[in-house]
Amino acid sequence: MTESVCAEWAVPGDMAGVRDRVDAVLEGFLAEKARQADRERLPADLVDALHSFVFSGGRRIRPLLCVLGWFAAGGSERLPAAVIRVAAALELQHAAVLIHRDVIERRLTRRGFPTLSCAMAARFAHKPDRERFGRQAAVLLGDLALVWSDELLFSAHLTARQRAAAGSVMSAMRMEVIYGQYLDVRAAGDQVVDLERALEIMRLETVGYTCERPLQLGARLAGADENTLAALSVYARGLGEAVHLAEDLHRVFGDRAGVGSRVEDLRDGKHTALVASALERAVGATAIELRALLGNPSLDLGGATLCRDIMTEVGAREEIERRIARRREHALRAVDEMHVPAAAREVLRVLAEHLTNSDG
């Protein structure tokens, strides 16, 4: 399991144990769902599969940011169990988004393990069309994760004000992700030279969902004023863009992505900022070669290596690295200007550095 991102940091109050507490809530919740399935003779493999996916890794960034939002807005030093439960609901929602995204993109791996659709296909290998079954089962599991995310959220002991605020933020987050994913699907394979459009899709699909909304959620639970919410949004937008750009870069160039992931994005012709920048910069025979490689369903490791070489030669990789650095600095400046507790401000600063470094 991935180590907590806040291990060994100087953090406010209960922050150092956030991941452990979130995992304990998820473990207990899914264990009860397993017992319920047994009592009611429901398919146990659904709970087993979702449990395996949720605990297959992940840095719990959204729960962490939710708790950070709570502390930044002046929430009590002793972290309420209700806030941890809401943070755990974010992680189940994240699982739902990833499961559905993997089906849409027909990905084979996630965090170094088979995607849920592949795992379900392998579990029911006797079926005549196991791949189709695996995709169908994964869609249903994603829906189930979303339902259980709501159950976790609304079974937390929140006040009426907190419940209304949480529902509003979660609904907005889900809407943005769906619109962003649709635009991403629509743009895939088009090879449109439009870096700004790629960035717009990124902001809608992942920036709010990854950083801004989780921070807002925790802050609103603590009763944050508009100035605090605005300051956190400035930070989160800069950080979210940097994190997503770094992830795109790592998926094509990074060792931790794995060979399969490095080929998949290029084979699928995903309209990332990195791809858009390369298409915008490439000219002549180089542009023709790059367009022939991107989105080619037969692209192999050699072709992917050639894509990466072209992206480096035309300066696309360097441009994305510059954008990451600028957005990180934007987030760090926002931290300096925040009127929030010093300990929370320090964690926001270290988090920005940690999530956007070259080893992220």
Side-chain angles (χ1 to χ4, degrees), residues 28-44 47 144 147-148 151:
F29 181 82
L30 292 173
E32 175 53 35
K33 290 302 178 186
R35 288 190 290 269
Q36 179 185 1
D38 184 59
R39 288 193 304 268
E40 300 179 14
R41 298 184 180 181
L42 298 171
V47 186
L144 188 61
V147 170
W148 285 349
E151 185 175 334

mmCIF file with all atom_site columns, all heavy atoms in Angstrom, residues 28-44 47 144 147-148 151:
data_model
loop_
_atom_site.group_PDB
_atom_site.id
_atom_site.type_symbol
_atom_site.label_atom_id
_atom_site.label_alt_id
_atom_site.label_comp_id
_atom_site.label_asym_id
_atom_site.label_entity_id
_atom_site.label_seq_id
_atom_site.pdbx_PDB_ins_code
_atom_site.Cartn_x
_atom_site.Cartn_y
_atom_site.Cartn_z
_atom_site.occupancy
_atom_site.B_iso_or_equiv
_atom_site.pdbx_formal_charge
_atom_site.auth_seq_id
_atom_site.auth_comp_id
_atom_site.auth_asym_id
_atom_site.auth_atom_id
_atom_site.pdbx_PDB_model_num
ATOM 1   N N   . GLY A 1 28  ? -14.191 -0.660  7.601  1.00 0.00 ? 28  GLY A N   1
ATOM 2   C CA  . GLY A 1 28  ? -15.366 -0.995  8.392  1.00 0.00 ? 28  GLY A CA  1
ATOM 3   C C   . GLY A 1 28  ? -16.647 -0.952  7.571  1.00 0.00 ? 28  GLY A C   1
ATOM 4   O O   . GLY A 1 28  ? -17.521 -1.826  7.708  1.00 0.00 ? 28  GLY A O   1
ATOM 5   N N   . PHE A 1 29  ? -16.770 0.048   6.716  1.00 0.00 ? 29  PHE A N   1
ATOM 6   C CA  . PHE A 1 29  ? -17.962 0.199   5.882  1.00 0.00 ? 29  PHE A CA  1
ATOM 7   C C   . PHE A 1 29  ? -18.103 -0.981  4.920  1.00 0.00 ? 29  PHE A C   1
ATOM 8   O O   . PHE A 1 29  ? -19.182 -1.579  4.798  1.00 0.00 ? 29  PHE A O   1
ATOM 9   C CB  . PHE A 1 29  ? -17.875 1.516   5.103  1.00 0.00 ? 29  PHE A CB  1
ATOM 10  C CG  . PHE A 1 29  ? -19.068 1.792   4.227  1.00 0.00 ? 29  PHE A CG  1
ATOM 11  C CD1 . PHE A 1 29  ? -20.220 2.352   4.754  1.00 0.00 ? 29  PHE A CD1 1
ATOM 12  C CD2 . PHE A 1 29  ? -19.022 1.506   2.869  1.00 0.00 ? 29  PHE A CD2 1
ATOM 13  C CE1 . PHE A 1 29  ? -21.324 2.617   3.936  1.00 0.00 ? 29  PHE A CE1 1
ATOM 14  C CE2 . PHE A 1 29  ? -20.108 1.758   2.055  1.00 0.00 ? 29  PHE A CE2 1
ATOM 15  C CZ  . PHE A 1 29  ? -21.269 2.321   2.590  1.00 0.00 ? 29  PHE A CZ  1
ATOM 16  N N   . LEU A 1 30  ? -17.009 -1.336  4.246  1.00 0.00 ? 30  LEU A N   1
ATOM 17  C CA  . LEU A 1 30  ? -17.067 -2.436  3.278  1.00 0.00 ? 30  LEU A CA  1
ATOM 18  C C   . LEU A 1 30  ? -17.227 -3.785  3.970  1.00 0.00 ? 30  LEU A C   1
ATOM 19  O O   . LEU A 1 30  ? -17.855 -4.701  3.419  1.00 0.00 ? 30  LEU A O   1
ATOM 20  C CB  . LEU A 1 30  ? -15.822 -2.412  2.389  1.00 0.00 ? 30  LEU A CB  1
ATOM 21  C CG  . LEU A 1 30  ? -15.737 -1.211  1.436  1.00 0.00 ? 30  LEU A CG  1
ATOM 22  C CD1 . LEU A 1 30  ? -14.398 -1.181  0.714  1.00 0.00 ? 30  LEU A CD1 1
ATOM 23  C CD2 . LEU A 1 30  ? -16.885 -1.225  0.426  1.00 0.00 ? 30  LEU A CD2 1
ATOM 24  N N   . ALA A 1 31  ? -16.687 -3.912  5.173  1.00 0.00 ? 31  ALA A N   1
ATOM 25  C CA  . ALA A 1 31  ? -16.882 -5.155  5.934  1.00 0.00 ? 31  ALA A CA  1
ATOM 26  C C   . ALA A 1 31  ? -18.358 -5.339  6.274  1.00 0.00 ? 31  ALA A C   1
ATOM 27  O O   . ALA A 1 31  ? -18.898 -6.450  6.205  1.00 0.00 ? 31  ALA A O   1
ATOM 28  C CB  . ALA A 1 31  ? -16.033 -5.143  7.208  1.00 0.00 ? 31  ALA A CB  1
ATOM 29  N N   . GLU A 1 32  ? -19.021 -4.244  6.639  1.00 0.00 ? 32  GLU A N   1
ATOM 30  C CA  . GLU A 1 32  ? -20.452 -4.321  6.932  1.00 0.00 ? 32  GLU A CA  1
ATOM 31  C C   . GLU A 1 32  ? -21.245 -4.646  5.667  1.00 0.00 ? 32  GLU A C   1
ATOM 32  O O   . GLU A 1 32  ? -22.222 -5.407  5.719  1.00 0.00 ? 32  GLU A O   1
ATOM 33  C CB  . GLU A 1 32  ? -20.934 -3.001  7.536  1.00 0.00 ? 32  GLU A CB  1
ATOM 34  C CG  . GLU A 1 32  ? -22.441 -2.938  7.777  1.00 0.00 ? 32  GLU A CG  1
ATOM 35  C CD  . GLU A 1 32  ? -22.979 -4.108  8.596  1.00 0.00 ? 32  GLU A CD  1
ATOM 36  O OE1 . GLU A 1 32  ? -22.274 -4.589  9.507  1.00 0.00 ? 32  GLU A OE1 1
ATOM 37  O OE2 . GLU A 1 32  ? -24.119 -4.546  8.312  1.00 0.00 ? 32  GLU A OE2 1
ATOM 38  N N   . LYS A 1 33  ? -20.816 -4.107  4.532  1.00 0.00 ? 33  LYS A N   1
ATOM 39  C CA  . LYS A 1 33  ? -21.489 -4.425  3.270  1.00 0.00 ? 33  LYS A CA  1
ATOM 40  C C   . LYS A 1 33  ? -21.314 -5.908  2.932  1.00 0.00 ? 33  LYS A C   1
ATOM 41  O O   . LYS A 1 33  ? -22.219 -6.540  2.375  1.00 0.00 ? 33  LYS A O   1
ATOM 42  C CB  . LYS A 1 33  ? -20.948 -3.556  2.141  1.00 0.00 ? 33  LYS A CB  1
ATOM 43  C CG  . LYS A 1 33  ? -21.353 -2.092  2.244  1.00 0.00 ? 33  LYS A CG  1
ATOM 44  C CD  . LYS A 1 33  ? -22.854 -1.941  2.263  1.00 0.00 ? 33  LYS A CD  1
ATOM 45  C CE  . LYS A 1 33  ? -23.295 -0.504  2.419  1.00 0.00 ? 33  LYS A CE  1
ATOM 46  N NZ  . LYS A 1 33  ? -24.766 -0.388  2.577  1.00 0.00 ? 33  LYS A NZ  1
ATOM 47  N N   . ALA A 1 34  ? -20.160 -6.465  3.257  1.00 0.00 ? 34  ALA A N   1
ATOM 48  C CA  . ALA A 1 34  ? -19.936 -7.896  3.026  1.00 0.00 ? 34  ALA A CA  1
ATOM 49  C C   . ALA A 1 34  ? -20.852 -8.730  3.916  1.00 0.00 ? 34  ALA A C   1
ATOM 50  O O   . ALA A 1 34  ? -21.428 -9.734  3.470  1.00 0.00 ? 34  ALA A O   1
ATOM 51  C CB  . ALA A 1 34  ? -18.475 -8.242  3.284  1.00 0.00 ? 34  ALA A CB  1
ATOM 52  N N   . ARG A 1 35  ? -20.988 -8.299  5.170  1.00 0.00 ? 35  ARG A N   1
ATOM 53  C CA  . ARG A 1 35  ? -21.884 -9.028  6.082  1.00 0.00 ? 35  ARG A CA  1
ATOM 54  C C   . ARG A 1 35  ? -23.335 -8.922  5.619  1.00 0.00 ? 35  ARG A C   1
ATOM 55  O O   . ARG A 1 35  ? -24.094 -9.893  5.674  1.00 0.00 ? 35  ARG A O   1
ATOM 56  C CB  . ARG A 1 35  ? -21.731 -8.482  7.504  1.00 0.00 ? 35  ARG A CB  1
ATOM 57  C CG  . ARG A 1 35  ? -20.421 -8.868  8.174  1.00 0.00 ? 35  ARG A CG  1
ATOM 58  C CD  . ARG A 1 35  ? -20.419 -8.515  9.642  1.00 0.00 ? 35  ARG A CD  1
ATOM 59  N NE  . ARG A 1 35  ? -20.375 -7.083  9.852  1.00 0.00 ? 35  ARG A NE  1
ATOM 60  C CZ  . ARG A 1 35  ? -19.248 -6.369  9.987  1.00 0.00 ? 35  ARG A CZ  1
ATOM 61  N NH1 . ARG A 1 35  ? -18.066 -6.968  9.893  1.00 0.00 ? 35  ARG A NH1 1
ATOM 62  N NH2 . ARG A 1 35  ? -19.295 -5.066  10.198 1.00 0.00 ? 35  ARG A NH2 1
ATOM 63  N N   . GLN A 1 36  ? -23.712 -7.734  5.138  1.00 0.00 ? 36  GLN A N   1
ATOM 64  C CA  . GLN A 1 36  ? -25.069 -7.547  4.624  1.00 0.00 ? 36  GLN A CA  1
ATOM 65  C C   . GLN A 1 36  ? -25.322 -8.438  3.413  1.00 0.00 ? 36  GLN A C   1
ATOM 66  O O   . GLN A 1 36  ? -26.395 -9.051  3.285  1.00 0.00 ? 36  GLN A O   1
ATOM 67  C CB  . GLN A 1 36  ? -25.282 -6.078  4.243  1.00 0.00 ? 36  GLN A CB  1
ATOM 68  C CG  . GLN A 1 36  ? -26.663 -5.775  3.682  1.00 0.00 ? 36  GLN A CG  1
ATOM 69  C CD  . GLN A 1 36  ? -26.789 -4.339  3.211  1.00 0.00 ? 36  GLN A CD  1
ATOM 70  O OE1 . GLN A 1 36  ? -25.855 -3.564  3.270  1.00 0.00 ? 36  GLN A OE1 1
ATOM 71  N NE2 . GLN A 1 36  ? -27.968 -3.982  2.735  1.00 0.00 ? 36  GLN A NE2 1
ATOM 72  N N   . ALA A 1 37  ? -24.342 -8.518  2.521  1.00 0.00 ? 37  ALA A N   1
ATOM 73  C CA  . ALA A 1 37  ? -24.478 -9.378  1.341  1.00 0.00 ? 37  ALA A CA  1
ATOM 74  C C   . ALA A 1 37  ? -24.669 -10.836 1.756  1.00 0.00 ? 37  ALA A C   1
ATOM 75  O O   . ALA A 1 37  ? -25.471 -11.567 1.160  1.00 0.00 ? 37  ALA A O   1
ATOM 76  C CB  . ALA A 1 37  ? -23.247 -9.233  0.446  1.00 0.00 ? 37  ALA A CB  1
ATOM 77  N N   . ASP A 1 38  ? -23.935 -11.234 2.797  1.00 0.00 ? 38  ASP A N   1
ATOM 78  C CA  . ASP A 1 38  ? -24.067 -12.609 3.282  1.00 0.00 ? 38  ASP A CA  1
ATOM 79  C C   . ASP A 1 38  ? -25.454 -12.855 3.871  1.00 0.00 ? 38  ASP A C   1
ATOM 80  O O   . ASP A 1 38  ? -26.094 -13.878 3.593  1.00 0.00 ? 38  ASP A O   1
ATOM 81  C CB  . ASP A 1 38  ? -22.976 -12.879 4.321  1.00 0.00 ? 38  ASP A CB  1
ATOM 82  C CG  . ASP A 1 38  ? -22.988 -14.328 4.801  1.00 0.00 ? 38  ASP A CG  1
ATOM 83  O OD1 . ASP A 1 38  ? -22.831 -15.222 3.951  1.00 0.00 ? 38  ASP A OD1 1
ATOM 84  O OD2 . ASP A 1 38  ? -23.170 -14.543 6.008  1.00 0.00 ? 38  ASP A OD2 1
ATOM 85  N N   . ARG A 1 39  ? -25.927 -11.890 4.676  1.00 0.00 ? 39  ARG A N   1
ATOM 86  C CA  . ARG A 1 39  ? -27.244 -12.051 5.300  1.00 0.00 ? 39  ARG A CA  1
ATOM 87  C C   . ARG A 1 39  ? -28.364 -12.103 4.268  1.00 0.00 ? 39  ARG A C   1
ATOM 88  O O   . ARG A 1 39  ? -29.312 -12.879 4.389  1.00 0.00 ? 39  ARG A O   1
ATOM 89  C CB  . ARG A 1 39  ? -27.520 -10.879 6.267  1.00 0.00 ? 39  ARG A CB  1
ATOM 90  C CG  . ARG A 1 39  ? -26.730 -10.895 7.549  1.00 0.00 ? 39  ARG A CG  1
ATOM 91  C CD  . ARG A 1 39  ? -27.300 -9.899  8.540  1.00 0.00 ? 39  ARG A CD  1
ATOM 92  N NE  . ARG A 1 39  ? -27.371 -8.538  7.999  1.00 0.00 ? 39  ARG A NE  1
ATOM 93  C CZ  . ARG A 1 39  ? -26.417 -7.627  8.137  1.00 0.00 ? 39  ARG A CZ  1
ATOM 94  N NH1 . ARG A 1 39  ? -25.289 -7.941  8.771  1.00 0.00 ? 39  ARG A NH1 1
ATOM 95  N NH2 . ARG A 1 39  ? -26.566 -6.410  7.647  1.00 0.00 ? 39  ARG A NH2 1
ATOM 96  N N   . GLU A 1 40  ? -28.249 -11.256 3.232  1.00 0.00 ? 40  GLU A N   1
ATOM 97  C CA  . GLU A 1 40  ? -29.322 -11.123 2.254  1.00 0.00 ? 40  GLU A CA  1
ATOM 98  C C   . GLU A 1 40  ? -29.080 -11.945 0.982  1.00 0.00 ? 40  GLU A C   1
ATOM 99  O O   . GLU A 1 40  ? -29.810 -11.814 0.005  1.00 0.00 ? 40  GLU A O   1
ATOM 100 C CB  . GLU A 1 40  ? -29.513 -9.641  1.905  1.00 0.00 ? 40  GLU A CB  1
ATOM 101 C CG  . GLU A 1 40  ? -29.869 -8.791  3.120  1.00 0.00 ? 40  GLU A CG  1
ATOM 102 C CD  . GLU A 1 40  ? -30.031 -7.318  2.787  1.00 0.00 ? 40  GLU A CD  1
ATOM 103 O OE1 . GLU A 1 40  ? -30.128 -6.983  1.586  1.00 0.00 ? 40  GLU A OE1 1
ATOM 104 O OE2 . GLU A 1 40  ? -30.065 -6.504  3.735  1.00 0.00 ? 40  GLU A OE2 1
ATOM 105 N N   . ARG A 1 41  ? -28.033 -12.765 1.039  1.00 0.00 ? 41  ARG A N   1
ATOM 106 C CA  . ARG A 1 41  ? -27.696 -13.639 -0.091 1.00 0.00 ? 41  ARG A CA  1
ATOM 107 C C   . ARG A 1 41  ? -27.497 -12.853 -1.393 1.00 0.00 ? 41  ARG A C   1
ATOM 108 O O   . ARG A 1 41  ? -27.967 -13.227 -2.462 1.00 0.00 ? 41  ARG A O   1
ATOM 109 C CB  . ARG A 1 41  ? -28.769 -14.722 -0.277 1.00 0.00 ? 41  ARG A CB  1
ATOM 110 C CG  . ARG A 1 41  ? -28.887 -15.648 0.937  1.00 0.00 ? 41  ARG A CG  1
ATOM 111 C CD  . ARG A 1 41  ? -29.868 -16.768 0.705  1.00 0.00 ? 41  ARG A CD  1
ATOM 112 N NE  . ARG A 1 41  ? -29.956 -17.636 1.880  1.00 0.00 ? 41  ARG A NE  1
ATOM 113 C CZ  . ARG A 1 41  ? -30.741 -18.714 1.942  1.00 0.00 ? 41  ARG A CZ  1
ATOM 114 N NH1 . ARG A 1 41  ? -31.489 -19.049 0.893  1.00 0.00 ? 41  ARG A NH1 1
ATOM 115 N NH2 . ARG A 1 41  ? -30.772 -19.444 3.030  1.00 0.00 ? 41  ARG A NH2 1
ATOM 116 N N   . LEU A 1 42  ? -26.763 -11.755 -1.257 1.00 0.00 ? 42  LEU A N   1
ATOM 117 C CA  . LEU A 1 42  ? -26.385 -10.941 -2.412 1.00 0.00 ? 42  LEU A CA  1
ATOM 118 C C   . LEU A 1 42  ? -25.009 -11.391 -2.895 1.00 0.00 ? 42  LEU A C   1
ATOM 119 O O   . LEU A 1 42  ? -24.252 -12.006 -2.152 1.00 0.00 ? 42  LEU A O   1
ATOM 120 C CB  . LEU A 1 42  ? -26.349 -9.458  -2.015 1.00 0.00 ? 42  LEU A CB  1
ATOM 121 C CG  . LEU A 1 42  ? -27.684 -8.869  -1.554 1.00 0.00 ? 42  LEU A CG  1
ATOM 122 C CD1 . LEU A 1 42  ? -27.478 -7.473  -0.981 1.00 0.00 ? 42  LEU A CD1 1
ATOM 123 C CD2 . LEU A 1 42  ? -28.685 -8.825  -2.707 1.00 0.00 ? 42  LEU A CD2 1
ATOM 124 N N   . PRO A 1 43  ? -24.649 -11.077 -4.147 1.00 0.00 ? 43  PRO A N   1
ATOM 125 C CA  . PRO A 1 43  ? -23.351 -11.536 -4.691 1.00 0.00 ? 43  PRO A CA  1
ATOM 126 C C   . PRO A 1 43  ? -22.169 -10.962 -3.913 1.00 0.00 ? 43  PRO A C   1
ATOM 127 O O   . PRO A 1 43  ? -21.915 -9.751  -3.941 1.00 0.00 ? 43  PRO A O   1
ATOM 128 C CB  . PRO A 1 43  ? -23.366 -11.018 -6.136 1.00 0.00 ? 43  PRO A CB  1
ATOM 129 C CG  . PRO A 1 43  ? -24.801 -10.778 -6.453 1.00 0.00 ? 43  PRO A CG  1
ATOM 130 C CD  . PRO A 1 43  ? -25.450 -10.378 -5.172 1.00 0.00 ? 43  PRO A CD  1
ATOM 131 N N   . ALA A 1 44  ? -21.441 -11.818 -3.244 1.00 0.00 ? 44  ALA A N   1
ATOM 132 C CA  . ALA A 1 44  ? -20.303 -11.377 -2.422 1.00 0.00 ? 44  ALA A CA  1
ATOM 133 C C   . ALA A 1 44  ? -19.156 -10.851 -3.276 1.00 0.00 ? 44  ALA A C   1
ATOM 134 O O   . ALA A 1 44  ? -18.341 -10.049 -2.804 1.00 0.00 ? 44  ALA A O   1
ATOM 135 C CB  . ALA A 1 44  ? -19.820 -12.532 -1.550 1.00 0.00 ? 44  ALA A CB  1
ATOM 136 N N   . VAL A 1 47  ? -18.679 -6.908  -3.503 1.00 0.00 ? 47  VAL A N   1
ATOM 137 C CA  . VAL A 1 47  ? -17.985 -6.254  -2.379 1.00 0.00 ? 47  VAL A CA  1
ATOM 138 C C   . VAL A 1 47  ? -16.504 -6.600  -2.398 1.00 0.00 ? 47  VAL A C   1
ATOM 139 O O   . VAL A 1 47  ? -15.649 -5.732  -2.189 1.00 0.00 ? 47  VAL A O   1
ATOM 140 C CB  . VAL A 1 47  ? -18.618 -6.655  -1.036 1.00 0.00 ? 47  VAL A CB  1
ATOM 141 C CG1 . VAL A 1 47  ? -17.980 -5.850  0.100  1.00 0.00 ? 47  VAL A CG1 1
ATOM 142 C CG2 . VAL A 1 47  ? -20.121 -6.429  -1.044 1.00 0.00 ? 47  VAL A CG2 1
ATOM 143 N N   . LEU A 1 144 ? -22.116 1.321   -8.034 1.00 0.00 ? 144 LEU A N   1
ATOM 144 C CA  . LEU A 1 144 ? -22.253 0.921   -6.633 1.00 0.00 ? 144 LEU A CA  1
ATOM 145 C C   . LEU A 1 144 ? -21.357 1.763   -5.730 1.00 0.00 ? 144 LEU A C   1
ATOM 146 O O   . LEU A 1 144 ? -21.771 2.191   -4.641 1.00 0.00 ? 144 LEU A O   1
ATOM 147 C CB  . LEU A 1 144 ? -21.913 -0.566  -6.484 1.00 0.00 ? 144 LEU A CB  1
ATOM 148 C CG  . LEU A 1 144 ? -22.187 -1.212  -5.127 1.00 0.00 ? 144 LEU A CG  1
ATOM 149 C CD1 . LEU A 1 144 ? -23.673 -1.142  -4.784 1.00 0.00 ? 144 LEU A CD1 1
ATOM 150 C CD2 . LEU A 1 144 ? -21.708 -2.663  -5.131 1.00 0.00 ? 144 LEU A CD2 1
ATOM 151 N N   . VAL A 1 147 ? -23.065 5.079   -5.199 1.00 0.00 ? 147 VAL A N   1
ATOM 152 C CA  . VAL A 1 147 ? -24.174 4.948   -4.242 1.00 0.00 ? 147 VAL A CA  1
ATOM 153 C C   . VAL A 1 147 ? -23.642 4.870   -2.817 1.00 0.00 ? 147 VAL A C   1
ATOM 154 O O   . VAL A 1 147 ? -24.148 5.535   -1.895 1.00 0.00 ? 147 VAL A O   1
ATOM 155 C CB  . VAL A 1 147 ? -25.036 3.711   -4.574 1.00 0.00 ? 147 VAL A CB  1
ATOM 156 C CG1 . VAL A 1 147 ? -26.030 3.430   -3.449 1.00 0.00 ? 147 VAL A CG1 1
ATOM 157 C CG2 . VAL A 1 147 ? -25.773 3.905   -5.891 1.00 0.00 ? 147 VAL A CG2 1
ATOM 158 N N   . TRP A 1 148 ? -22.611 4.085   -2.610 1.00 0.00 ? 148 TRP A N   1
ATOM 159 C CA  . TRP A 1 148 ? -22.057 3.923   -1.266 1.00 0.00 ? 148 TRP A CA  1
ATOM 160 C C   . TRP A 1 148 ? -21.313 5.174   -0.807 1.00 0.00 ? 148 TRP A C   1
ATOM 161 O O   . TRP A 1 148 ? -21.225 5.432   0.397  1.00 0.00 ? 148 TRP A O   1
ATOM 162 C CB  . TRP A 1 148 ? -21.177 2.687   -1.217 1.00 0.00 ? 148 TRP A CB  1
ATOM 163 C CG  . TRP A 1 148 ? -21.998 1.415   -1.209 1.00 0.00 ? 148 TRP A CG  1
ATOM 164 C CD1 . TRP A 1 148 ? -23.344 1.321   -1.031 1.00 0.00 ? 148 TRP A CD1 1
ATOM 165 C CD2 . TRP A 1 148 ? -21.509 0.081   -1.361 1.00 0.00 ? 148 TRP A CD2 1
ATOM 166 N NE1 . TRP A 1 148 ? -23.735 0.006   -1.071 1.00 0.00 ? 148 TRP A NE1 1
ATOM 167 C CE2 . TRP A 1 148 ? -22.631 -0.788  -1.270 1.00 0.00 ? 148 TRP A CE2 1
ATOM 168 C CE3 . TRP A 1 148 ? -20.261 -0.482  -1.575 1.00 0.00 ? 148 TRP A CE3 1
ATOM 169 C CZ2 . TRP A 1 148 ? -22.533 -2.165  -1.380 1.00 0.00 ? 148 TRP A CZ2 1
ATOM 170 C CZ3 . TRP A 1 148 ? -20.137 -1.853  -1.682 1.00 0.00 ? 148 TRP A CZ3 1
ATOM 171 C CH2 . TRP A 1 148 ? -21.266 -2.696  -1.585 1.00 0.00 ? 148 TRP A CH2 1
ATOM 172 N N   . GLU A 1 151 ? -23.992 7.107   0.686  1.00 0.00 ? 151 GLU A N   1
ATOM 173 C CA  . GLU A 1 151 ? -24.379 6.533   1.975  1.00 0.00 ? 151 GLU A CA  1
ATOM 174 C C   . GLU A 1 151 ? -23.398 6.937   3.073  1.00 0.00 ? 151 GLU A C   1
ATOM 175 O O   . GLU A 1 151 ? -23.806 7.287   4.193  1.00 0.00 ? 151 GLU A O   1
ATOM 176 C CB  . GLU A 1 151 ? -24.470 5.011   1.871  1.00 0.00 ? 151 GLU A CB  1
ATOM 177 C CG  . GLU A 1 151 ? -24.992 4.356   3.133  1.00 0.00 ? 151 GLU A CG  1
ATOM 178 C CD  . GLU A 1 151 ? -25.194 2.856   2.997  1.00 0.00 ? 151 GLU A CD  1
ATOM 179 O OE1 . GLU A 1 151 ? -25.403 2.381   1.860  1.00 0.00 ? 151 GLU A OE1 1
ATOM 180 O OE2 . GLU A 1 151 ? -25.122 2.158   4.025  1.00 0.00 ? 151 GLU A OE2 1
#
